[in-house]
Amino acid sequence: MAQTCSEYLNFILTSSFGRLSPQSLAHILTFRLYNTFTNQKEVFVPLTPGIVRMYNCGPTVYGRPHIGNLRSFLFADVLRRWLEYKGFDVKQVMNITDVGHLVDDADEGEDKMLAQAAKEKIDPWAVAERYMKEFLSDLGALNFLPAMIYPRATDHIPEMLEMVQGLVATGYAYEVDGDVYFDVSKFPAYGKLSGNRVEDLVAGSRIAVREEKRNPADFALWKSDEKHLMKWDSPYGPDGFPGWHIECSAMARKHLGEQLDIHTGGEDNVFPHHECEIAQSEAFHGKQFAKFWAHAKFLQVDGGKMSKSLGNVYVLDDITDRGFEPRVLRYTLLRGHYRQPLNFTWDILEESRASIENWDRLAQDLGRLSEDVEAAPLGMEHVERARKEFEEGMDDDLMVPRALGAMGTLRGAVGRGEVAGEAAREALNFVKSVDSILGVIRFEDGSLEASIQSRIDARTQARSAKDWAESDRIRDELLAEGIALEDGPDGVIWRRV
Ligand code: AMP
Ligand code: ZN
């Protein structure tokens, strides 16, 4: 892909981007995304002008997604929202792995679905059903934009077998007693994403290598096991199931085509999962599988790895049980930069809650200021600066902390009374556009229920009559209902608390 400025210019002039106005081009071609494949930030240009094909590795549905999983999925949601903000039509696919993901992420070990089914004493299909529902309900609670489709691996067995058979036919894969392996020696580029070299993998391998493999680094596309509870008939025997990696290659191909603009996952997916996806897909169709590979860093808890033994593998309910709204978790998981490690603590949740409430208040203040149509416009420069800072931050590899800094600066100006009239309306629009990415702010429509307004009026009359007892009574009554009143030089101001 074109990298230098002159190459880009040439690309623009010779592609259908050339039909776009210079303004919209400037707007689109400013987003730089870190590509794990090239280890650098690159200007994002989709393969088809205006359309982004994005595949996100989704959950393995053997348990409720933990907050670390949610961080990776949320990164994909923020990326999708930013691309839409930039005017792209995003075709987003997030898969559901409901078979074939083995405990060790490679060819050995139990299937995670079956292990969970044994624990719960139910069949693996029921496990998949239960946790898929929980996953989708968590996404709803956390205000994710719905993907175009959440394809399930078990619904795509024919598509996987088509690829497996194609790879066997062209010599990239081979069968041994019902198992089919990808032959890494036939794909010299194996390792190009992760930087791993086949020789090093072999030398460093801790796992006993299966004798049936031609090369120790070969990986399974299809496995046979008559005891496996989720199994399908195939040219390799009656009791087979797919390897985890082939699932994503096949589902991406089916729903987005052979070439993707962006493929995402958590950092642990780089190897082996994404490396193997590249090998299978590119060996199968001979084209570059994904242009951008984007990975979120792992979430840590209390400075370390989440682990069952420490009892800190938190899920959404653990957060809401402690009185935090789901949006507080959403904000906590996205307020840092996705490529920086994030350490989850209960204190951070408290900070996030306070921070969101500040944004709510900013929106309320701007709502009220916007209603004053008589006020002269004041402080448009604050809004323009904030918008520029926000867009520059997000364009720089989704630098959310810079975007939040822009909102903070604007809040300062509003607090100092430097924003009014038309600028307040613009500022409110700006806060709404920031929230089209954050998805956490609560916007009030600026009006009050009549029963509340009439009591505020009654209190104002009581104050005029110096009836402090009645005035305080009404104020306390409203506070108990979530409306706080403050008396300022220009009269009473209300806000929801
Ligand atoms: P799984 O359900 O195990 O297939 O994982 C689903 C997604 O969550 C994958 O993209 C993982 O890379 C990601 N993931 C797992 N643990 C964490 C973590 N602690 N922080 C961020 N992402 C994670
Ligand atoms: Zn995947």
Side-chain angles (χ1 to χ4, degrees):
M1 193 51 240
Q3 288 306 315
T4 65
C5 281
S6 63
E7 277 175 313
Y8 271 121
L9 204 58
N10 193 35
F11 168 79
I12 288 160
L13 292 174
T14 54
S15 72
S16 42
F17 270 117
R19 291 198 297 272
L20 298 177
S21 71
Q23 288 85 347
S24 50
L25 261 179
H27 184 59
I28 288 173
L29 294 180
T30 47
F31 176 36
R32 293 165 78 241
L33 179 64
Y34 187 88
N35 191 349
T36 308
F37 186 58
T38 55
N39 292 318
Q40 60 184 7
K41 290 183 215 169
E42 291 173 39
V43 174
F44 177 76
V45 182
L47 292 157
T48 308
I51 295 176
V52 179
R53 294 180 180 84
M54 174 162 85
Y55 185 90
N56 314 124
C57 277
T60 304
V61 283
Y62 68 106
R64 181 93 180 256
H66 57 59
I67 55 176
N69 301 136
L70 294 171
R71 181 187 199 197
S72 286
F73 306 146
L74 204 48
F75 153 62
D77 183 64
V78 170
L79 174 55
R80 177 245 175 105
R81 285 168 179 258
W82 184 242
L83 289 162
E84 288 185 344
Y85 181 100
K86 305 285 292 176
F88 292 109
D89 172 11
V90 184
K91 313 272 181 226
Q92 184 191 11
V93 173
M94 185 179 279
N95 76 286
I96 300 214
T97 295
D98 54 2
V99 64
H101 189 171
L102 306 189
V103 170
D104 71 353
D105 272 5
D107 296 341
E108 301 296 325
E110 254 184 303
D111 188 312
K112 292 185 178 190
M113 300 296 303
L114 269 53
Q116 188 62 25
K119 239 186 251 167
E120 294 190 30
K121 300 193 172 50
I122 50 177
D123 80 75
W125 298 94
V127 170
E129 214 54 48
R130 170 174 173 197
Y131 292 112
M132 195 180 72
K133 280 207 185 100
E134 292 191 358
F135 161 71
L136 293 174
S137 127
D138 284 355
L139 296 196
L142 289 164
N143 197 16
F144 277 68
L145 294 183
M148 185 175 78
I149 187 168
Y150 297 94
R152 291 175 68 159
T154 49
D155 290 335
H156 294 76
I157 301 296
E159 288 83 355
M160 294 174 206
L161 282 170
E162 183 194 346
M163 288 188 81
V164 175
Q165 285 174 268
L167 290 168
V168 171
T170 48
Y172 282 106
Y174 57 93
E175 187 215 340
V176 189
D177 295 335
D179 291 344
V180 182
Y181 291 101
F182 187 93
D183 184 341
V184 293
S185 70
K186 299 277 167 52
F187 189 77
Y190 189 74
K192 67 178 175 176
L193 177 70
S194 58
N196 284 327
R197 295 186 320 159
V198 170
E199 311 83 89
D200 300 341
L201 288 173
V202 175
S205 170
R206 284 172 292 115
I207 307 158
V209 171
R210 287 175 82 96
E211 282 181 6
E212 59 190 27
K213 289 188 188 180
R214 287 184 192 160
N215 314 287
D218 291 353
F219 58 91
L221 301 176
W222 190 259
K223 287 178 79 77
S224 286
D225 176 2
E226 61 183 29
K227 292 194 291 303
H228 206 268
L229 298 175
M230 303 169 107
K231 53 191 182 182
W232 291 265
D233 193 15
S234 82
Y236 314 106
D239 302 314
F241 64 97
W244 173 37
H245 317 307
I246 196 73
E247 299 178 0
C248 286
S249 283
M251 287 187 274
R253 176 167 176 258
K254 161 109 187 245
H255 297 286
L256 293 169
E258 291 181 334
Q259 293 192 283
L260 312 173
D261 293 295
I262 308 177
H263 193 314
T264 74
E267 60 176 332
D268 61 326
N269 288 150
V270 175
F271 189 87
H273 189 46
H274 290 165
E275 194 70 68
C276 296
E277 280 188 43
I278 292 178
Q280 300 156 161
S281 294
E282 298 192 0
F284 183 76
H285 52 59
K287 298 175 212 149
Q288 184 183 25
F289 177 38
K291 220 166 117 178
F292 278 80
W293 288 88
H295 296 97
K297 266 263 182 312
F298 258 33
L299 177 80
Q300 297 199 319
V301 172
D302 298 325
K305 228 180 141 181
M306 268 184 284
S307 92
K308 288 218 169 94
S309 60
L310 295 172
N312 63 5
V313 184
Y314 299 127
V315 300
L316 178 59
D317 283 356
D318 296 317
I319 310 300
T320 51
D321 284 353
R322 291 227 195 174
F324 294 99
E325 294 176 86
R327 67 180 183 141
V328 178
L329 177 63
R330 179 177 170 98
Y331 187 74
T332 303
L333 296 177
L334 62 70
R335 62 188 255 186
H337 186 228
Y338 74 96
R339 282 193 300 114
Q340 291 296 319
L342 175 64
N343 184 27
F344 175 91
T345 61
W346 294 105
D347 286 347
I348 281 201
L349 272 187
E350 288 291 357
E351 273 174 41
S352 295
R353 170 153 58 194
S355 186
I356 293 185
E357 285 170 1
N358 278 335
W359 302 139
D360 286 352
R361 230 166 276 143
L362 173 64
Q364 277 175 29
D365 290 346
L366 288 172
R368 201 172 31 248
L369 289 168
S370 298
E371 279 172 14
D372 187 354
V373 284
E374 308 278 284
L378 175 70
M380 197 59 98
E381 72 282 3
H382 292 302
V383 186
E384 277 160 12
R385 196 175 325 119
R387 179 170 283 123
K388 184 164 177 289
E389 214 178 307
F390 162 67
E391 290 184 351
E392 281 177 2
M394 292 304 288
D395 266 343
D396 183 11
D397 194 31
L398 305 178
M399 207 58 84
V400 174
R402 265 176 69 191
L404 294 175
M407 287 249 288
T409 312
L410 179 69
R411 203 177 113 229
V414 173
R416 292 191 300 275
E418 293 170 9
V419 179
E422 187 54 32
R425 285 185 279 283
E426 267 311 298
L428 184 58
N429 286 339
F430 164 70
V431 172
K432 284 184 177 162
S433 61
V434 172
D435 198 59
S436 71
I437 312 301
L438 302 181
V440 297
I441 299 177
R442 192 160 291 148
F443 292 91
E444 303 292 346
D445 67 359
S447 59
L448 273 177
E449 296 84 337
S451 66
I452 293 177
Q453 188 60 56
S454 63
R455 276 181 289 165
I456 294 178
D457 294 344
R459 179 174 171 274
T460 307
Q461 280 176 7
R463 277 173 64 82
S464 316
K466 299 202 180 346
D467 183 350
W468 309 121
E470 176 63 359
S471 149
D472 288 352
R473 190 193 65 74
I474 298 176
R475 191 195 56 205
D476 293 348
E477 188 180 271
L478 288 172
L479 189 60
E481 292 175 31
I483 303 289
L485 302 182
E486 283 167 27
D487 298 303
D490 302 325
V492 64
I493 295 176
W494 63 269
R495 69 169 93 249
R496 291 189 201 272
V497 288

